Amino acid sequence: MMKNLNQWLFLSINNLAGKNDVLDNIGVFLGEKGPFIFIGLIVYIYFKKQNKKEAIYATITVISAILLNHLIELFYYHPRPFADGLGIVLKEHIADSSFPSDHTTFMLALSWSLFMYKDTKRWGKNMLILGVLLGLCRVFEGVHYPFDILGALVMGHFCANMIYKLKEKMKPLIDLILKIDNKIFRKA
């Protein structure tokens, strides 16, 4: 039943692919380059907005989420839609496990982490919305099921909560990173 729902949702979104070259190119670009947009945003938040601690915690959250994704992939294989013979594929991809989406996990772990902190809550909220939309571009381009995006949403939230709860224990590491930052980027 869940498999049927996942496939139906996939086909409902992916059915829009292959009908308009402009839409296809935009969808592929956003689906593939989404993490780079988020890297740019976290660099901006770190340097320009001066929310350094929040940006560091968000980066640690992303690393932990991606590592957990790869751990899941060792024990659970879920085929990509094209491996199941479904949909239109706009961007070739290797037929590795699709669950959860690494691209989307990257974006949503960063977003959920920023959402946890008062000074970056608004950034986190807006980035969550953008991350989900960019994750759905991965469905549009035919390389993920919607539940892969949902799995990324859950993984990002889980890791953001975990790092947030461990933030006091991580304080020495954060202080060391900020000390190094101060030595490198100190204004003359």
Side-chain angles (χ1 to χ4, degrees):
M1 179 153 145
M2 293 303 277
K3 181 178 179 179
N4 290 341
L5 176 60
N6 202 17
Q7 289 180 346
W8 179 79
L9 289 169
F10 167 77
L11 291 171
S12 297
I13 296 168
N14 181 256
N15 189 42
L16 300 171
K19 293 182 169 49
N20 181 297
D21 287 343
V22 173
L23 182 62
D24 290 351
N25 289 330
I26 291 170
V28 169
F29 176 80
L30 293 174
E32 296 299 313
K33 304 305 181 195
F36 295 105
I37 295 167
F38 278 66
I39 290 169
L41 289 170
I42 201 67
V43 168
Y44 176 79
I45 289 167
Y46 185 88
F47 287 106
K48 190 72 173 165
K49 301 301 285 179
Q50 293 295 306
N51 294 110
K52 293 181 183 287
K53 285 184 182 179
E54 294 89 341
I56 294 167
Y57 284 122
T59 302
I60 293 169
T61 299
V62 167
I63 292 167
S64 66
I66 295 297
L67 287 173
L68 278 174
N69 271 11
H70 289 292
L71 186 63
I72 288 170
E73 291 169 3
L74 290 175
F75 298 100
Y76 175 72
Y77 175 80
H78 190 271
R80 293 185 180 272
F82 59 82
D84 284 337
L86 292 176
I88 297 165
V89 181
L90 297 177
K91 175 81 168 107
E92 284 191 35
H93 199 289
I94 60 172
D96 59 347
S97 184
S98 69
F99 183 86
S101 165
D102 287 334
H103 276 74
T104 311
T105 296
F106 181 100
M107 295 182 289
L108 297 180
L110 201 65
S111 304
W112 275 121
S113 181
L114 293 172
F115 186 77
M116 301 275 174
Y117 299 93
K118 180 182 158 205
D119 290 342
T120 55
K121 188 177 238 16
R122 198 166 104 218
W123 278 99
K125 178 183 163 190
N126 292 331
M127 289 168 69
L128 272 169
I129 294 165
L130 179 61
V132 168
L133 292 173
L134 293 176
L136 291 174
C137 287
R138 304 286 288 161
V139 177
F140 172 78
E141 63 179 303
V143 296
H144 277 291
Y145 282 107
F147 285 8
D148 301 339
I149 308 311
L150 181 60
L153 184 71
V154 171
M155 179 63 77
H157 188 263
F158 171 78
C159 289
N161 265 323
M162 180 179 67
I163 297 302
Y164 186 81
K165 288 177 181 175
L166 293 171
K167 71 180 180 184
E168 289 307 315
K169 291 184 187 307
M170 299 175 73
K171 190 171 179 346
L173 172 63
I174 304 306
D175 290 343
L176 175 64
I177 293 168
L178 291 172
K179 186 177 178 181
I180 292 167
D181 168 85
N182 191 42
K183 286 188 184 280
I184 294 172
F185 298 107
R186 180 180 2 195
K187 292 184 179 177

